């Protein structure tokens, strides 16, 4: 089976972990600090604050911007649920703005009408590794005096113009094993603002500025030195990993037929956390099953947009966001990770082209992508 994701762990990571284990300094210590410095350098920012996950990075970043009950945060409905849940954790309300169907990222032309007196931040996601439309987002944010919190959990090393994502607003990254680089679990907040970084360091460690003096409510959102050691070793390889992902994506785009391949607007570098195509005419799930049967593990990110998840329906969300809903029915992510061989890439292309071509003849426009109201089937409890 060709997996949809595969972390590449080799001797460097193993040696680095062993060194930490032998040092006796296992909790947040010097290796976390070294990882923070190196990651800040990658992003071209003054400060990076490591956390236990991308979710906790988002949670702390929202707190650092003073966001809480009664506030609204504008974000995308087409992302991993952690983006929106972090807004709920601080007691604020996610306000969903539909996506640009070409990039799957938040459509900046729809942001302004969603702004109210309660709006306290804009939280774009650089989905699948493609930077969101930052020029327009930053322009609106400046006009309304709103901070931008970038969910860059899928976009390590992606650039917009000549700068890395995570350097435009307050950046939040994840090092979950499927990501472009991993620390097994972990997260990072990036910023140029020293006071904001200090606040984040306090909140991730029980609101503690001085040992056992607690000025505010905090959490245990620390990263361990064991995780940081893996992260540091992976960071040295990130550039090579991203180049391999881009080369794989180029091959796929050159050889796939009858599916809509990803686009990269000028001036942005896509790092292909996912290589996501659109499969037309309600064939997506059939193609997905067919690929699995042929030994290609593809994925659907995401089958249900957040406003259609039961959690959010139960909170009273009844938005109709047609581009996100349509994408949820059509997207299919194919393996693009750096461990793929040339033979793997050929197998993926042949399998997709065979399945889509065959299905195209079978269905010939007989189906509509709108199935029911698009809400996920509820799990039985
Ligand atoms: C867009 C996005 N936001 C947030 C997260 C949360 O990161 P983590 O799983 O490290 O908590 C992820 C990770 O899956 C993600 O893809």
């Amino acid at each position: 089976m060709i997996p949809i994701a595969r972390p590449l762990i080799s001797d460097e990571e193993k040696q680095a972990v062993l060194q930490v284990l032998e040092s006796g300094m296992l909790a947040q210590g010097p290796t976390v600090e070294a990882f923070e410095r190196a990651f800040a350098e990658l992003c071209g920012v003054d400060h990076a604050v490591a956390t236990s996950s991308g979710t906790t990075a988002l949670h702390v970043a929202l707190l650092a911007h003073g966001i809480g009950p009664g506030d609204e945060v504008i974000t995308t409905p087409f992302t991993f649920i952690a983006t929106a849940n972090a807004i709920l954790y601080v007691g604020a309300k996610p306000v969903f703005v539909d996506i640009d169907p070409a990039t799957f990222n938040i459509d900046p032309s729809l942001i302004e009408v969603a702004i109210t007196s309660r709006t306290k931040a804009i939280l774009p996601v650089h989905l699948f590794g493609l930077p969101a439309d930052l020029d327009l987002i930053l322009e609106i944010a400046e006009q309304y005096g709103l901070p931008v919190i970038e969910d860059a959990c899928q976009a390590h090393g992606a650039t917009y113009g000549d700068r890395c994502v995570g350097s435009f607003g307050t950046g939040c990254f994840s090092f979950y094993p499927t990501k472009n680089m991993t620390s097994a679990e972990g997260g990072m907040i990036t910023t140029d603002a020293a006071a904001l970084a200090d606040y984040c360091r306090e909140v991730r460690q029980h609101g503690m500025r001085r040992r056992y003096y607690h000025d505010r409510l905090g959490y245990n959102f620390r990263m361990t030195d064991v995780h940081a050691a893996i992260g540091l070793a992976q960071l040295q390889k990130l550039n090579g990993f991203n180049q391999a992902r881009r080369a794989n994506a180029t091959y796929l785009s050159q050889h796939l037929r009858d599916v809509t391949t990803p686009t990269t607007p000028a001036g942005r570098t896509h790092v292909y956390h996912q290589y996501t195509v659109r499969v037309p005419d309600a064939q997506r799930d059939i193609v997905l099953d067919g690929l699995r049967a042929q030994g290609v593990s593809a994925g659907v990110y995401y089958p249900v947009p957040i406003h259609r998840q039961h959690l959010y329906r139960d909170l009273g969300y009844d938005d109709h966001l047609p581009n996100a809903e349509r994408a949820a029915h059509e997207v299919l992510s194919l393996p693009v990770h750096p461990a793929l061989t040339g033979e793997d890439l050929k197998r993926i292309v042949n399998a997709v082209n065979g399945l889509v071509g065959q299905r195209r003849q079978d269905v010939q426009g007989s189906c509509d992508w709108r199935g029911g109201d698009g809400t996920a089937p509820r799990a039985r409890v």
Side-chain angles (χ1 to χ4, degrees):
M1 182 69 92
I2 302 174
I4 181 73
R6 170 127 174 248
L8 280 175
I9 300 293
S10 49
D11 279 350
E12 292 83 7
E13 288 80 359
K14 292 175 195 165
Q15 286 307 322
V17 167
L18 272 180
Q19 260 178 27
V20 169
L21 293 177
E22 281 163 7
S23 77
M25 304 274 289
L26 304 190
Q28 183 180 276
T31 314
V32 167
E33 280 177 28
F35 185 28
E36 289 176 335
R37 280 194 300 274
F39 202 80
E41 199 176 311
L42 167 83
C43 295
V45 295
D46 291 340
H47 308 278
V49 181
T51 59
S52 51
S53 69
T55 307
T56 56
L58 285 162
H59 187 166
V60 172
L62 286 157
L63 289 172
H65 282 284
I67 293 159
D71 296 337
E72 294 178 356
V73 177
I74 291 176
T75 193
T76 166
F78 197 58
T79 174
F80 182 53
I81 196 134
T83 310
N85 283 0
I87 300 169
L88 295 182
Y89 297 155
V90 301
K93 179 183 172 196
V95 172
F96 297 113
V97 163
D98 208 358
I99 58 167
D100 173 349
T103 63
F104 301 116
N105 281 327
I106 192 168
D107 182 343
S109 72
L110 303 174
I111 290 179
E112 221 169 333
V113 291
I115 294 176
T116 72
S117 58
R118 291 181 296 280
T119 307
K120 290 295 178 314
I122 305 175
L123 204 170
V125 178
H126 306 306
L127 198 74
F128 304 145
L130 175 68
D133 193 341
L134 285 165
D135 277 341
L136 282 170
I137 293 168
L138 291 167
E139 199 180 301
I140 298 165
E142 192 177 288
Q143 195 183 335
Y144 288 87
L146 297 170
V148 172
I149 299 172
E150 300 175 65
D151 183 335
C153 286
Q154 302 187 358
H156 318 69
T159 58
Y160 187 92
D162 57 1
R163 282 164 57 189
C164 259
V165 298
S167 69
F168 292 87
T170 303
C172 297
F173 292 83
S174 161
F175 303 116
Y176 187 73
T178 56
K179 301 294 193 261
N180 292 36
M181 58 169 285
T182 185
S183 64
E185 286 277 9
M188 195 74 80
I189 302 164
T190 52
T191 179
D192 278 328
L196 191 133
D198 282 349
Y199 177 96
C200 294
R201 286 183 209 287
E202 263 178 68
V203 169
R204 78 169 165 187
Q205 166 110 300
H206 285 297
M208 189 161 75
R209 183 180 292 273
R210 202 149 53 99
R211 206 152 180 76
Y212 302 124
Y213 288 81
H214 304 270
D215 299 341
R216 51 170 55 95
L217 182 65
Y219 302 85
N220 175 359
F221 287 164
R222 292 183 298 258
M223 178 184 279
T224 71
D225 269 20
V226 177
H227 291 93
I230 302 171
L232 250 181
Q234 288 266 298
L235 187 54
Q236 317 307 319
K237 305 176 188 175
L238 177 66
N239 204 7
F241 287 163
N242 283 347
Q243 274 173 19
R245 284 177 182 273
R246 272 198 292 277
N248 292 344
T250 302
Y251 181 92
L252 293 170
S253 292
Q254 281 169 350
H255 293 87
L256 289 170
R257 292 191 309 265
D258 299 328
V259 294
T260 310
T261 55
T263 45
T264 307
R268 302 181 213 182
T269 319
H270 200 320
V271 292
Y272 292 100
H273 168 58
Q274 298 295 350
Y275 179 90
T276 302
V277 300
R278 279 181 192 263
V279 183
D281 305 332
Q283 302 176 67
R284 195 266 317 277
D285 291 345
I286 298 154
V287 173
L288 177 68
D289 291 345
L291 285 173
R292 286 195 182 136
Q294 293 185 38
V296 176
S297 172
V300 173
Y301 311 101
Y302 296 90
V304 181
I306 296 182
H307 63 290
R308 296 284 195 180
Q309 296 282 356
H310 283 297
L311 167 64
Y312 284 80
R313 296 291 250 192
D314 291 349
L315 290 171
Y317 284 82
D318 65 352
D319 313 46
H320 175 47
L321 301 167
N323 292 334
E325 287 155 31
R326 182 168 194 144
H329 281 267
E330 293 185 348
V331 287
L332 183 68
S333 298
L334 303 171
V336 73
H337 55 80
L340 294 177
T341 63
E343 205 43 51
D344 292 336
L345 287 165
K346 275 190 209 146
R347 261 181 69 196
I348 296 164
V349 164
N350 289 340
V352 174
N353 286 346
L355 285 159
V356 178
Q358 177 195 328
R359 284 294 307 164
R360 209 161 153 232
Q361 286 163 12
D362 293 349
V363 295
Q364 281 303 346
S366 63
C367 297
D368 190 324
W369 59 271
R370 280 169 292 251
D373 70 353
T375 302
R378 198 182 273 277
R380 270 194 291 165
V381 282

